[in-house]
């Protein structure tokens, strides 16, 4: 067996292994459901905050009371912070969706290259030495690109996980501030579960073929 044939077999095996690490539609759906739940929770807390603000404004009399006005101003600030937190979460979600989309594009190219190498080996048609070397070089280039894409995907996933936890923590804080019975998920448990599930060293103030989804601000 000549050197080029051996190289083709090796590169084809690497391509096959890379394709086992695709982002699956099932994973995309799981992340989408988690994102939608977080956005729904944020919407619920915002609605509660707005209602509370309206109730406080309705209590205003002819003379402004400092304590009441302070509460109103504080809640107005929380409303802005809530919007900023939600928008930051959306940015991280959409960034991850874009990475998934790019990874899917790259993996289609890997799959196409694997088919090319398979046909070359199956029919023993390696072409000229130069042509075969070009195919091998192209395949190795795709593998390197996929290595970089995997590292970027992992980093973006961790950023999105952290953004989810940050938003969850903030929603709990706002709900406590409003002193209301809000039907939210038990975020304290969620934070502990996600720390373990995704191996995130998340420091809080209390501590010592698929289609990606995009979200509106």
């Amino acid at each position: 067996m000549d050197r080029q044939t051996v190289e083709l077999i090796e590169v084809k095996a690497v391509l096959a292994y890379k394709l086992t690490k695709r982002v699956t539609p099932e994973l995309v759906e799981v992340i989408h459901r988690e994102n939608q739940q977080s956005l729904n929770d944020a919407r619920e807390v915002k609605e509660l905050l707005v209602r509370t603000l309206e109730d406080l404004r309705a209590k205003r009399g002819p003379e402004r009371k400092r304590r009441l006005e302070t509460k109103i101003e504080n809640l107005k600030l929380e409303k802005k912070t809530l919007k900023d937190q939600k928008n930051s979460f959306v940015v991280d979600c959409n960034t991850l969706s874009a990475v998934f989309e790019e990874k899917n594009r790259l993996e289609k190219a890997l799959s196409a290259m694997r088919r090319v190498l398979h046909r070359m080996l199956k029919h023993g048609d390696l072409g000229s030495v130069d042509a075969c070397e070009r195919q091998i070089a192209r395949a190795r280039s795709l593998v390197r690109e996929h290595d970089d894409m995997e590292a970027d995907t992992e980093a973006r996933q961790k950023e999105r996980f952290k953004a989810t936890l940050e938003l969850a923590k903030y929603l709990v804080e706002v709900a406590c501030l409003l002193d209301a019975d809000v039907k939210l998920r038990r975020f304290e448990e969620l934070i502990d579960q996600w720390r373990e599930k995704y191996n995130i060293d998340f420091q809080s103030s209390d501590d010592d073929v698929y289609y990606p989804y995009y979200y509106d601000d």
Side-chain angles (χ1 to χ4, degrees):
M1 190 178 294
D2 61 81
R3 179 187 61 81
Q4 284 190 326
T5 300
V6 172
E7 280 196 78
L8 284 173
I9 293 172
E10 290 176 346
V11 173
K12 179 174 173 286
V14 173
L15 292 175
Y17 170 71
K18 286 289 184 184
L19 291 170
T20 66
K21 304 180 77 173
R22 283 172 165 165
V23 174
T24 65
E26 290 77 17
L27 174 61
V28 172
E29 285 298 325
V30 167
I31 290 176
H32 173 58
R33 287 195 297 270
E34 291 174 348
N35 291 345
Q36 288 288 63
Q37 182 63 62
S38 295
L39 292 173
N40 289 339
D41 291 337
R43 189 177 302 112
E44 184 178 350
V45 171
K46 179 185 175 183
E47 290 172 356
L48 176 62
L49 198 157
V50 169
R51 288 198 304 270
T52 304
L53 260 175
E54 291 172 350
D55 291 343
L56 290 175
R57 285 168 175 155
K59 293 178 181 179
R60 279 172 166 167
E63 295 183 4
R64 297 290 176 91
K65 296 182 179 180
R66 181 179 298 177
R67 186 174 180 182
L68 179 61
E69 293 303 316
T70 299
K71 284 184 178 180
I72 290 173
E73 289 303 313
N74 287 342
L75 289 186
K76 286 168 64 177
L77 289 174
E78 292 298 342
K79 183 181 176 183
K80 182 181 183 304
T81 303
L82 175 58
K83 180 180 179 181
D84 292 342
Q85 287 277 358
K86 195 257 306 187
N87 288 348
S88 177
F89 169 74
V90 165
V91 167
D92 285 325
C93 289
N94 287 340
T95 299
L96 179 59
S97 293
V99 169
F100 280 169
E101 197 167 28
E102 182 63 17
K103 192 169 187 286
N104 186 49
R105 180 202 63 77
L106 177 57
E107 285 166 348
K108 286 181 179 179
L110 287 175
S111 183
M113 176 57 69
R114 184 182 63 167
R115 289 194 298 272
V116 169
L117 300 187
H118 177 75
R119 286 194 298 270
M120 291 172 67
L121 290 166
K122 181 179 180 181
H123 301 294
D125 182 15
L126 305 188
S128 68
V129 172
D130 288 344
C132 186
E133 289 293 343
R134 283 195 297 272
Q135 293 287 21
I136 292 172
R138 171 59 179 157
R140 293 194 185 281
S141 175
L142 286 172
V143 168
R144 288 192 297 272
E145 189 177 350
H146 193 265
D147 287 340
D148 293 339
M149 178 59 68
E150 281 189 312
D152 190 32
T153 302
E154 183 178 351
R156 298 303 180 184
Q157 281 184 290
K158 180 167 282 193
E159 287 178 5
R160 175 257 168 190
F161 298 147
K162 287 186 176 181
T164 302
L165 296 179
E166 290 282 5
L167 180 61
K169 280 186 74 277
Y170 183 71
L171 294 180
V172 170
E173 291 170 3
V174 174
C176 291
L177 176 67
L178 298 175
D179 193 24
D181 181 19
V182 187
K183 293 181 180 178
L184 296 173
R185 291 176 295 169
R186 299 188 63 180
F187 291 117
E188 293 83 358
E189 292 183 3
L190 177 72
I191 289 171
D192 289 338
Q193 290 171 5
W194 279 39
R195 275 176 172 159
E196 182 177 353
K197 181 178 179 181
Y198 298 115
N199 192 28
I200 295 175
D201 182 18
F202 180 78
Q203 299 296 324
S204 72
S205 57
D206 298 326
D207 287 340
D208 289 324
V209 188
Y210 54 81
Y211 297 94
Y213 295 91
Y214 290 88
Y215 308 88
D216 295 329
D217 291 345

